[in-house]
mmCIF file of all heavy atoms in Angstrom:
data_model
loop_
_atom_site.group_PDB
_atom_site.id
_atom_site.type_symbol
_atom_site.label_atom_id
_atom_site.label_comp_id
_atom_site.label_asym_id
_atom_site.label_seq_id
_atom_site.Cartn_x
_atom_site.Cartn_y
_atom_site.Cartn_z
ATOM 1 N N TYR R 19 80.635 99.610 93.836
ATOM 2 C CA TYR R 19 81.385 98.414 93.632
ATOM 3 C C TYR R 19 82.303 98.134 94.828
ATOM 4 O O TYR R 19 82.935 99.077 95.348
ATOM 5 C CB TYR R 19 82.249 98.426 92.402
ATOM 6 C CG TYR R 19 81.440 98.436 91.125
ATOM 7 C CD1 TYR R 19 80.951 99.669 90.588
ATOM 8 C CD2 TYR R 19 81.167 97.251 90.427
ATOM 9 C CE1 TYR R 19 80.254 99.665 89.408
ATOM 10 C CE2 TYR R 19 80.453 97.264 89.289
ATOM 11 C CZ TYR R 19 79.978 98.496 88.748
ATOM 12 O OH TYR R 19 79.265 98.489 87.581
ATOM 13 N N ALA R 20 82.363 96.927 95.241
ATOM 14 C CA ALA R 20 83.560 96.499 96.088
ATOM 15 C C ALA R 20 84.714 96.388 95.161
ATOM 16 O O ALA R 20 84.622 95.839 94.009
ATOM 17 C CB ALA R 20 83.247 95.157 96.775
ATOM 18 N N VAL R 21 85.844 96.912 95.554
ATOM 19 C CA VAL R 21 87.065 96.945 94.711
ATOM 20 C C VAL R 21 88.196 96.294 95.418
ATOM 21 O O VAL R 21 88.446 96.552 96.631
ATOM 22 C CB VAL R 21 87.415 98.422 94.342
ATOM 23 C CG1 VAL R 21 88.708 98.439 93.529
ATOM 24 C CG2 VAL R 21 86.296 99.084 93.585
ATOM 25 N N ALA R 22 88.884 95.439 94.745
ATOM 26 C CA ALA R 22 90.038 94.714 95.297
ATOM 27 C C ALA R 22 91.273 95.007 94.470
ATOM 28 O O ALA R 22 91.251 95.227 93.283
ATOM 29 C CB ALA R 22 89.742 93.219 95.316
ATOM 30 N N TRP R 23 92.399 94.843 95.193
ATOM 31 C CA TRP R 23 93.730 94.889 94.527
ATOM 32 C C TRP R 23 94.314 93.512 94.666
ATOM 33 O O TRP R 23 94.383 92.966 95.755
ATOM 34 C CB TRP R 23 94.638 95.913 95.139
ATOM 35 C CG TRP R 23 94.331 97.330 94.704
ATOM 36 C CD1 TRP R 23 93.551 98.197 95.371
ATOM 37 C CD2 TRP R 23 94.690 97.939 93.473
ATOM 38 N NE1 TRP R 23 93.453 99.415 94.661
ATOM 39 C CE2 TRP R 23 94.175 99.268 93.506
ATOM 40 C CE3 TRP R 23 95.431 97.589 92.395
ATOM 41 C CZ2 TRP R 23 94.344 100.189 92.452
ATOM 42 C CZ3 TRP R 23 95.650 98.481 91.354
ATOM 43 C CH2 TRP R 23 95.092 99.741 91.385
ATOM 44 N N PHE R 24 94.808 93.024 93.532
ATOM 45 C CA PHE R 24 95.549 91.747 93.505
ATOM 46 C C PHE R 24 96.915 92.028 92.938
ATOM 47 O O PHE R 24 97.197 93.069 92.302
ATOM 48 C CB PHE R 24 94.886 90.775 92.572
ATOM 49 C CG PHE R 24 93.554 90.286 93.016
ATOM 50 C CD1 PHE R 24 92.394 91.062 92.813
ATOM 51 C CD2 PHE R 24 93.358 89.078 93.699
ATOM 52 C CE1 PHE R 24 91.142 90.678 93.235
ATOM 53 C CE2 PHE R 24 92.139 88.620 94.108
ATOM 54 C CZ PHE R 24 91.011 89.445 93.873
ATOM 55 N N ARG R 25 97.824 91.185 93.221
ATOM 56 C CA ARG R 25 99.192 91.258 92.532
ATOM 57 C C ARG R 25 99.496 89.879 92.088
ATOM 58 O O ARG R 25 99.181 88.863 92.680
ATOM 59 C CB ARG R 25 100.235 91.834 93.467
ATOM 60 C CG ARG R 25 100.564 91.048 94.679
ATOM 61 C CD ARG R 25 101.557 91.830 95.563
ATOM 62 N NE ARG R 25 101.946 91.137 96.786
ATOM 63 C CZ ARG R 25 102.667 91.676 97.763
ATOM 64 N NH1 ARG R 25 103.043 92.960 97.699
ATOM 65 N NH2 ARG R 25 102.989 90.967 98.828
ATOM 66 N N GLN R 26 100.251 89.889 90.982
ATOM 67 C CA GLN R 26 100.566 88.599 90.307
ATOM 68 C C GLN R 26 102.023 88.607 89.818
ATOM 69 O O GLN R 26 102.432 89.562 89.179
ATOM 70 C CB GLN R 26 99.581 88.336 89.186
ATOM 71 C CG GLN R 26 99.747 86.994 88.559
ATOM 72 C CD GLN R 26 98.634 86.696 87.522
ATOM 73 O OE1 GLN R 26 98.082 87.625 86.925
ATOM 74 N NE2 GLN R 26 98.330 85.426 87.333
ATOM 75 N N VAL R 27 102.706 87.576 90.104
ATOM 76 C CA VAL R 27 104.006 87.328 89.515
ATOM 77 C C VAL R 27 103.955 86.184 88.503
ATOM 78 O O VAL R 27 103.019 85.357 88.632
ATOM 79 C CB VAL R 27 105.063 87.033 90.622
ATOM 80 C CG1 VAL R 27 105.254 88.225 91.503
ATOM 81 C CG2 VAL R 27 104.698 85.765 91.389
ATOM 82 N N PRO R 28 104.814 86.116 87.552
ATOM 83 C CA PRO R 28 104.746 85.065 86.518
ATOM 84 C C PRO R 28 104.666 83.676 87.113
ATOM 85 O O PRO R 28 105.418 83.345 87.988
ATOM 86 C CB PRO R 28 106.011 85.299 85.699
ATOM 87 C CG PRO R 28 106.279 86.740 85.838
ATOM 88 C CD PRO R 28 105.914 87.056 87.269
ATOM 89 N N GLY R 29 103.724 82.937 86.557
ATOM 90 C CA GLY R 29 103.594 81.534 86.969
ATOM 91 C C GLY R 29 102.758 81.287 88.205
ATOM 92 O O GLY R 29 102.621 80.104 88.649
ATOM 93 N N LYS R 30 102.241 82.344 88.793
ATOM 94 C CA LYS R 30 101.429 82.196 90.010
ATOM 95 C C LYS R 30 100.075 82.845 89.860
ATOM 96 O O LYS R 30 99.826 83.658 89.017
ATOM 97 C CB LYS R 30 102.173 82.831 91.217
ATOM 98 C CG LYS R 30 103.418 82.108 91.614
ATOM 99 C CD LYS R 30 103.924 82.575 92.991
ATOM 100 C CE LYS R 30 105.095 81.768 93.456
ATOM 101 N NZ LYS R 30 105.563 82.164 94.786
ATOM 102 N N GLU R 31 99.122 82.350 90.648
ATOM 103 C CA GLU R 31 97.793 82.962 90.644
ATOM 104 C C GLU R 31 97.813 84.288 91.304
ATOM 105 O O GLU R 31 98.707 84.572 92.125
ATOM 106 C CB GLU R 31 96.856 82.029 91.508
ATOM 107 C CG GLU R 31 96.564 80.632 90.850
ATOM 108 C CD GLU R 31 95.685 80.854 89.579
ATOM 109 O OE1 GLU R 31 94.723 81.581 89.626
ATOM 110 O OE2 GLU R 31 96.092 80.255 88.549
ATOM 111 N N PRO R 32 96.874 85.114 90.948
ATOM 112 C CA PRO R 32 96.778 86.474 91.605
ATOM 113 C C PRO R 32 96.601 86.318 93.084
ATOM 114 O O PRO R 32 95.832 85.521 93.564
ATOM 115 C CB PRO R 32 95.610 87.171 90.890
ATOM 116 C CG PRO R 32 95.471 86.430 89.599
ATOM 117 C CD PRO R 32 95.828 84.961 89.882
ATOM 118 N N GLU R 33 97.325 87.155 93.810
ATOM 119 C CA GLU R 33 97.223 87.180 95.273
ATOM 120 C C GLU R 33 96.416 88.384 95.668
ATOM 121 O O GLU R 33 96.725 89.521 95.346
ATOM 122 C CB GLU R 33 98.630 87.279 95.850
ATOM 123 C CG GLU R 33 98.665 87.507 97.367
ATOM 124 C CD GLU R 33 100.008 88.013 97.886
ATOM 125 O OE1 GLU R 33 100.884 88.341 97.068
ATOM 126 O OE2 GLU R 33 100.162 88.030 99.162
ATOM 127 N N GLY R 34 95.343 88.167 96.395
ATOM 128 C CA GLY R 34 94.562 89.260 96.925
ATOM 129 C C GLY R 34 95.251 89.939 98.114
ATOM 130 O O GLY R 34 95.571 89.286 99.056
ATOM 131 N N ILE R 35 95.474 91.206 97.942
ATOM 132 C CA ILE R 35 96.228 91.989 99.011
ATOM 133 C C ILE R 35 95.343 92.961 99.768
ATOM 134 O O ILE R 35 95.668 93.297 100.922
ATOM 135 C CB ILE R 35 97.454 92.624 98.459
ATOM 136 C CG1 ILE R 35 97.115 93.625 97.341
ATOM 137 C CG2 ILE R 35 98.439 91.585 98.024
ATOM 138 C CD1 ILE R 35 98.317 94.454 96.891
ATOM 139 N N SER R 36 94.301 93.476 99.158
ATOM 140 C CA SER R 36 93.461 94.431 99.798
ATOM 141 C C SER R 36 92.180 94.622 99.100
ATOM 142 O O SER R 36 92.054 94.371 97.865
ATOM 143 C CB SER R 36 94.203 95.803 99.894
ATOM 144 O OG SER R 36 93.447 96.708 100.688
ATOM 145 N N CYS R 37 91.130 95.059 99.786
ATOM 146 C CA CYS R 37 89.934 95.372 99.146
ATOM 147 C C CYS R 37 89.176 96.435 100.019
ATOM 148 O O CYS R 37 89.538 96.633 101.171
ATOM 149 C CB CYS R 37 89.034 94.144 98.925
ATOM 150 S SG CYS R 37 88.549 93.255 100.411
ATOM 151 N N ILE R 38 88.215 97.090 99.376
ATOM 152 C CA ILE R 38 87.422 98.107 100.058
ATOM 153 C C ILE R 38 85.950 97.837 99.685
ATOM 154 O O ILE R 38 85.651 97.637 98.516
ATOM 155 C CB ILE R 38 87.905 99.513 99.712
ATOM 156 C CG1 ILE R 38 87.166 100.565 100.573
ATOM 157 C CG2 ILE R 38 87.753 99.823 98.205
ATOM 158 C CD1 ILE R 38 87.826 101.924 100.537
ATOM 159 N N ARG R 39 85.109 97.927 100.676
ATOM 160 C CA ARG R 39 83.667 97.696 100.368
ATOM 161 C C ARG R 39 83.132 98.932 99.684
ATOM 162 O O ARG R 39 83.740 99.980 99.630
ATOM 163 C CB ARG R 39 82.932 97.348 101.668
ATOM 164 C CG ARG R 39 83.384 96.025 102.238
ATOM 165 C CD ARG R 39 82.418 95.460 103.248
ATOM 166 N NE ARG R 39 82.572 96.078 104.568
ATOM 167 C CZ ARG R 39 83.425 95.676 105.508
ATOM 168 N NH1 ARG R 39 84.278 94.676 105.235
ATOM 169 N NH2 ARG R 39 83.461 96.319 106.639
ATOM 170 N N ARG R 40 81.933 98.818 99.202
ATOM 171 C CA ARG R 40 81.332 99.874 98.382
ATOM 172 C C ARG R 40 81.271 101.136 99.218
ATOM 173 O O ARG R 40 81.370 101.120 100.425
ATOM 174 C CB ARG R 40 80.018 99.457 97.804
ATOM 175 C CG ARG R 40 78.968 99.190 98.799
ATOM 176 C CD ARG R 40 77.739 98.656 98.110
ATOM 177 N NE ARG R 40 76.565 98.765 98.957
ATOM 178 C CZ ARG R 40 75.363 98.319 98.582
ATOM 179 N NH1 ARG R 40 75.226 97.769 97.422
ATOM 180 N NH2 ARG R 40 74.349 98.428 99.422
ATOM 181 N N ALA R 41 81.083 102.277 98.570
ATOM 182 C CA ALA R 41 81.273 103.628 99.159
ATOM 183 C C ALA R 41 80.379 103.875 100.358
ATOM 184 O O ALA R 41 80.765 104.629 101.304
ATOM 185 C CB ALA R 41 81.065 104.719 98.121
ATOM 186 N N ASP R 42 79.219 103.276 100.423
ATOM 187 C CA ASP R 42 78.296 103.533 101.579
ATOM 188 C C ASP R 42 78.701 102.725 102.778
ATOM 189 O O ASP R 42 78.063 102.845 103.847
ATOM 190 C CB ASP R 42 76.845 103.276 101.161
ATOM 191 C CG ASP R 42 76.600 101.804 100.773
ATOM 192 O OD1 ASP R 42 77.553 101.091 100.674
ATOM 193 O OD2 ASP R 42 75.420 101.488 100.458
ATOM 194 N N ASP R 43 79.720 101.954 102.673
ATOM 195 C CA ASP R 43 80.256 101.116 103.796
ATOM 196 C C ASP R 43 81.716 101.530 104.035
ATOM 197 O O ASP R 43 82.028 102.042 105.107
ATOM 198 C CB ASP R 43 80.120 99.609 103.449
ATOM 199 C CG ASP R 43 80.645 98.744 104.579
ATOM 200 O OD1 ASP R 43 81.656 99.067 105.232
ATOM 201 O OD2 ASP R 43 80.047 97.656 104.738
ATOM 202 N N GLY R 44 82.593 101.272 103.064
ATOM 203 C CA GLY R 44 83.955 101.767 103.113
ATOM 204 C C GLY R 44 84.893 100.907 103.960
ATOM 205 O O GLY R 44 86.066 101.241 104.112
ATOM 206 N N GLY R 45 84.418 99.723 104.473
ATOM 207 C CA GLY R 45 85.276 98.872 105.200
ATOM 208 C C GLY R 45 86.430 98.313 104.361
ATOM 209 O O GLY R 45 86.232 98.173 103.125
ATOM 210 N N THR R 46 87.505 97.968 104.960
ATOM 211 C CA THR R 46 88.702 97.551 104.239
ATOM 212 C C THR R 46 89.244 96.280 104.822
ATOM 213 O O THR R 46 89.045 95.939 106.019
ATOM 214 C CB THR R 46 89.807 98.623 104.284
ATOM 215 O OG1 THR R 46 90.148 98.920 105.613
ATOM 216 C CG2 THR R 46 89.343 99.884 103.551
ATOM 217 N N VAL R 47 89.967 95.519 104.016
ATOM 218 C CA VAL R 47 90.673 94.291 104.430
ATOM 219 C C VAL R 47 92.083 94.341 103.846
ATOM 220 O O VAL R 47 92.249 94.818 102.691
ATOM 221 C CB VAL R 47 89.937 93.033 103.887
ATOM 222 C CG1 VAL R 47 90.719 91.784 104.179
ATOM 223 C CG2 VAL R 47 88.531 92.949 104.548
ATOM 224 N N TYR R 48 93.053 93.847 104.639
ATOM 225 C CA TYR R 48 94.461 93.829 104.087
ATOM 226 C C TYR R 48 95.046 92.448 104.382
ATOM 227 O O TYR R 48 94.816 91.835 105.440
ATOM 228 C CB TYR R 48 95.279 94.897 104.830
ATOM 229 C CG TYR R 48 94.883 96.272 104.546
ATOM 230 C CD1 TYR R 48 94.018 96.980 105.403
ATOM 231 C CD2 TYR R 48 95.410 96.965 103.447
ATOM 232 C CE1 TYR R 48 93.690 98.336 105.152
ATOM 233 C CE2 TYR R 48 95.043 98.284 103.193
ATOM 234 C CZ TYR R 48 94.171 98.933 104.045
ATOM 235 O OH TYR R 48 93.850 100.252 103.776
ATOM 236 N N ALA R 49 95.897 92.040 103.475
ATOM 237 C CA ALA R 49 96.688 90.815 103.674
ATOM 238 C C ALA R 49 97.806 91.181 104.713
ATOM 239 O O ALA R 49 98.249 92.321 104.786
ATOM 240 C CB ALA R 49 97.354 90.335 102.397
ATOM 241 N N ASP R 50 98.234 90.231 105.470
ATOM 242 C CA ASP R 50 99.253 90.459 106.486
ATOM 243 C C ASP R 50 100.550 90.995 105.850
ATOM 244 O O ASP R 50 101.254 91.771 106.480
ATOM 245 C CB ASP R 50 99.572 89.157 107.208
ATOM 246 C CG ASP R 50 98.480 88.758 108.185
ATOM 247 O OD1 ASP R 50 97.624 89.654 108.523
ATOM 248 O OD2 ASP R 50 98.471 87.563 108.635
ATOM 249 N N SER R 51 100.784 90.565 104.605
ATOM 250 C CA SER R 51 102.058 90.980 103.917
ATOM 251 C C SER R 51 102.123 92.441 103.630
ATOM 252 O O SER R 51 103.216 92.968 103.411
ATOM 253 C CB SER R 51 102.226 90.145 102.655
ATOM 254 O OG SER R 51 101.096 90.384 101.789
ATOM 255 N N VAL R 52 100.929 93.168 103.622
ATOM 256 C CA VAL R 52 100.979 94.576 103.288
ATOM 257 C C VAL R 52 100.365 95.428 104.357
ATOM 258 O O VAL R 52 100.438 96.660 104.278
ATOM 259 C CB VAL R 52 100.215 94.845 101.953
ATOM 260 C CG1 VAL R 52 100.765 93.951 100.853
ATOM 261 C CG2 VAL R 52 98.692 94.616 102.137
ATOM 262 N N LYS R 53 99.820 94.819 105.433
ATOM 263 C CA LYS R 53 99.191 95.554 106.512
ATOM 264 C C LYS R 53 100.179 96.503 107.163
ATOM 265 O O LYS R 53 101.312 96.107 107.480
ATOM 266 C CB LYS R 53 98.593 94.585 107.521
ATOM 267 C CG LYS R 53 97.602 95.162 108.448
ATOM 268 C CD LYS R 53 97.001 94.081 109.332
ATOM 269 C CE LYS R 53 96.205 93.045 108.522
ATOM 270 N NZ LYS R 53 95.542 92.053 109.344
ATOM 271 N N GLY R 54 99.747 97.736 107.306
ATOM 272 C CA GLY R 54 100.620 98.734 107.928
ATOM 273 C C GLY R 54 101.507 99.477 106.938
ATOM 274 O O GLY R 54 102.102 100.485 107.243
ATOM 275 N N ARG R 55 101.589 98.964 105.710
ATOM 276 C CA ARG R 55 102.425 99.602 104.689
ATOM 277 C C ARG R 55 101.538 100.129 103.563
ATOM 278 O O ARG R 55 101.863 101.165 102.935
ATOM 279 C CB ARG R 55 103.417 98.645 104.111
ATOM 280 C CG ARG R 55 104.371 98.135 105.147
ATOM 281 C CD ARG R 55 105.507 97.268 104.442
ATOM 282 N NE ARG R 55 104.973 96.123 103.714
ATOM 283 C CZ ARG R 55 105.225 95.896 102.442
ATOM 284 N NH1 ARG R 55 105.915 96.745 101.663
ATOM 285 N NH2 ARG R 55 104.749 94.803 101.817
ATOM 286 N N PHE R 56 100.478 99.420 103.264
ATOM 287 C CA PHE R 56 99.571 99.795 102.137
ATOM 288 C C PHE R 56 98.280 100.352 102.678
ATOM 289 O O PHE R 56 97.742 99.851 103.713
ATOM 290 C CB PHE R 56 99.269 98.637 101.222
ATOM 291 C CG PHE R 56 100.434 98.093 100.431
ATOM 292 C CD1 PHE R 56 101.731 98.553 100.634
ATOM 293 C CD2 PHE R 56 100.209 97.141 99.432
ATOM 294 C CE1 PHE R 56 102.811 98.056 99.879
ATOM 295 C CE2 PHE R 56 101.296 96.673 98.646
ATOM 296 C CZ PHE R 56 102.562 97.094 98.895
ATOM 297 N N THR R 57 97.666 101.303 101.991
ATOM 298 C CA THR R 57 96.358 101.837 102.355
ATOM 299 C C THR R 57 95.482 101.927 101.128
ATOM 300 O O THR R 57 95.894 102.540 100.122
ATOM 301 C CB THR R 57 96.489 103.252 102.998
ATOM 302 O OG1 THR R 57 97.365 103.201 104.143
ATOM 303 C CG2 THR R 57 95.132 103.737 103.430
ATOM 304 N N ILE R 58 94.319 101.341 101.196
ATOM 305 C CA ILE R 58 93.335 101.454 100.151
ATOM 306 C C ILE R 58 92.338 102.472 100.506
ATOM 307 O O ILE R 58 91.893 102.507 101.697
ATOM 308 C CB ILE R 58 92.685 100.032 99.848
ATOM 309 C CG1 ILE R 58 91.842 100.061 98.597
ATOM 310 C CG2 ILE R 58 91.862 99.574 101.023
ATOM 311 C CD1 ILE R 58 91.355 98.704 98.142
ATOM 312 N N TYR R 59 91.916 103.302 99.547
ATOM 313 C CA TYR R 59 90.974 104.349 99.838
ATOM 314 C C TYR R 59 90.218 104.804 98.646
ATOM 315 O O TYR R 59 90.676 104.534 97.494
ATOM 316 C CB TYR R 59 91.634 105.597 100.552
ATOM 317 C CG TYR R 59 92.663 106.273 99.682
ATOM 318 C CD1 TYR R 59 92.349 107.387 98.941
ATOM 319 C CD2 TYR R 59 93.976 105.804 99.616
ATOM 320 C CE1 TYR R 59 93.271 108.061 98.153
ATOM 321 C CE2 TYR R 59 94.941 106.484 98.865
ATOM 322 C CZ TYR R 59 94.575 107.611 98.126
ATOM 323 O OH TYR R 59 95.511 108.227 97.349
ATOM 324 N N ARG R 60 89.106 105.420 98.867
ATOM 325 C CA ARG R 60 88.302 105.955 97.765
ATOM 326 C C ARG R 60 88.474 107.435 97.618
ATOM 327 O O ARG R 60 88.619 108.118 98.620
ATOM 328 C CB ARG R 60 86.846 105.680 98.012
ATOM 329 C CG ARG R 60 86.472 104.144 97.902
ATOM 330 C CD ARG R 60 84.920 103.985 98.019
ATOM 331 N NE ARG R 60 84.591 102.605 97.906
ATOM 332 C CZ ARG R 60 84.376 101.993 96.744
ATOM 333 N NH1 ARG R 60 84.407 102.660 95.623
ATOM 334 N NH2 ARG R 60 84.066 100.691 96.746
ATOM 335 N N ASP R 61 88.481 107.931 96.422
ATOM 336 C CA ASP R 61 88.305 109.350 96.172
ATOM 337 C C ASP R 61 86.832 109.504 95.735
ATOM 338 O O ASP R 61 86.460 109.192 94.583
ATOM 339 C CB ASP R 61 89.234 109.781 95.022
ATOM 340 C CG ASP R 61 89.121 111.309 94.764
ATOM 341 O OD1 ASP R 61 88.029 111.899 94.968
ATOM 342 O OD2 ASP R 61 90.097 111.887 94.332
ATOM 343 N N ASN R 62 85.993 109.903 96.701
ATOM 344 C CA ASN R 62 84.557 109.946 96.463
ATOM 345 C C ASN R 62 84.190 110.972 95.383
ATOM 346 O O ASN R 62 83.242 110.795 94.661
ATOM 347 C CB ASN R 62 83.840 110.199 97.743
ATOM 348 C CG ASN R 62 83.928 109.039 98.661
ATOM 349 O OD1 ASN R 62 83.996 107.888 98.280
ATOM 350 N ND2 ASN R 62 84.002 109.364 99.988
ATOM 351 N N ALA R 63 84.948 112.016 95.300
ATOM 352 C CA ALA R 63 84.653 113.048 94.311
ATOM 353 C C ALA R 63 84.941 112.580 92.899
ATOM 354 O O ALA R 63 84.219 112.929 91.935
ATOM 355 C CB ALA R 63 85.540 114.275 94.571
#
């Protein structure tokens, strides 16, 4: 699965902040608001 993290505050739509492509790819994307501070990763085990 491609897996994404969203965050939501009351009254607003979920904001996509990061995602990771499926395990055989592993590429990642970050929103500017979290880039350099947040890291998305898989525990393959």
Side-chain angles (χ1 to χ4, degrees):
Y19 292 86
V21 178
W23 284 97
F24 294 82
R25 63 187 181 189
Q26 187 173 27
V27 296
K30 292 192 174 182
E31 291 292 311
E33 172 196 10
I35 57 170
S36 185
C37 60
I38 187 166
R39 294 195 283 273
R40 63 185 197 184
D42 61 355
D43 180 325
T46 58
V47 174
Y48 295 93
D50 287 344
S51 59
V52 305
K53 197 174 295 183
R55 300 188 298 124
F56 291 11
T57 302
I58 189 171
Y59 62 95
R60 292 185 178 273
D61 182 330
N62 292 326

